[in-house]
Amino acid sequence: VQELEAAGAAGLTIEDTLLPQAFGQTKTQLIPLDEGVGKMKAALDGRGDPSLVIMGRTGAASISGLDDAVARAKAYEATGVDALFFTGVTSRGELEAISAATRLPIVLGGAPEDMSALDYLASQRVRIALQGHAPFAAATQAVHETLKALREGTSPKNLKGLAPAELTSRAMRDKDVKARSSAFLGLKK
């Protein structure tokens, strides 16, 4: 927690999954509830900046059932974490039970299609609903196609689907880098 905070992270999750996974075990396992509570308390104790968001994360809904997920959520909420992160929630009924039993903002690590309506998610205090790894998959496909085209002889100026210079500059924080390079290293803007 201290290292991530010092590195400038805005938030992090502390999970109750048994890591590393036991040798030969293929099914995800959870640590005992009291150990999960201890991890949450240790994370909160390690936080120096109160603006660092610490989320208690559990996959109990798909591993040990809804009742355990609710019990863990309530226990993690009682430690003082800022939000609750759930993986393996597969129905509106499960989400509604979790929402009814807790008061903190909720993060979902994926959800079925029937739980994608933003107004419904907001009504259940879901503030973040991850959509899988689609952005990474899209980036991987784009990099693959670009490298393949270059290998096959396409000129860089004829590549398709490249980000415009303005977007690249903004994403790379070009103005900030130039200002800091000038201020701290004496480099020209």
Side-chain angles (χ1 to χ4, degrees):
V1 170
Q2 292 168 344
E3 290 174 3
L4 287 170
E5 184 177 88
L12 56 95
T13 63
I14 302 294
E15 65 181 280
D16 57 8
T17 303
L18 178 63
L19 297 170
Q21 196 164 307
F23 178 76
Q25 184 70 28
T26 57
K27 188 176 176 185
T28 303
Q29 296 177 295
L30 300 173
I31 59 176
L33 176 58
D34 60 341
E35 187 177 340
V37 167
K39 285 179 72 172
M40 303 305 153
K41 288 179 178 179
L44 292 164
D45 184 64
R47 173 171 62 183
D49 179 355
S51 69
L52 175 69
V53 175
I54 296 179
M55 296 171 266
R57 176 179 168 150
T58 187
S62 63
I63 298 169
S64 52
L66 178 61
D67 290 341
D68 188 36
V70 168
R72 287 171 182 269
K74 290 168 112 177
Y76 300 160
E77 183 173 61
T79 68
V81 296
D82 304 300
L84 299 167
F85 188 125
F86 297 92
T87 61
V89 175
T90 59
S91 71
R92 286 180 174 230
E94 288 178 342
L95 177 58
E96 290 163 10
I98 289 167
S99 180
T102 62
R103 297 289 162 247
L104 292 175
I106 294 172
V107 176
L108 290 180
E113 186 67 31
D114 71 329
M115 289 183 6
S116 64
L118 298 180
D119 57 340
Y120 170 73
L121 293 172
S123 76
Q124 299 303 310
R125 291 189 332 281
V126 174
R127 298 300 177 253
I128 300 172
L130 301 179
Q131 303 297 310
H133 297 105
F136 297 108
T140 300
Q141 183 66 36
V143 168
H144 174 77
E145 289 173 7
T146 301
L147 291 174
K148 182 178 179 215
L150 289 169
R151 184 185 69 214
E152 293 172 352
T154 301
S155 167
K157 67 180 180 183
N158 293 327
L159 291 170
K160 303 285 189 239
L162 300 181
E166 184 278 325
L167 175 59
T168 301
S169 179
R170 192 174 70 224
M172 299 297 291
R173 300 179 182 169
D174 194 42
K175 286 181 184 178
D176 291 339
V177 170
K178 287 179 180 177
R180 287 188 172 106
S181 295
S182 175
F184 301 124
L185 302 176
L187 302 176
K188 294 180 182 178
K189 288 185 180 181

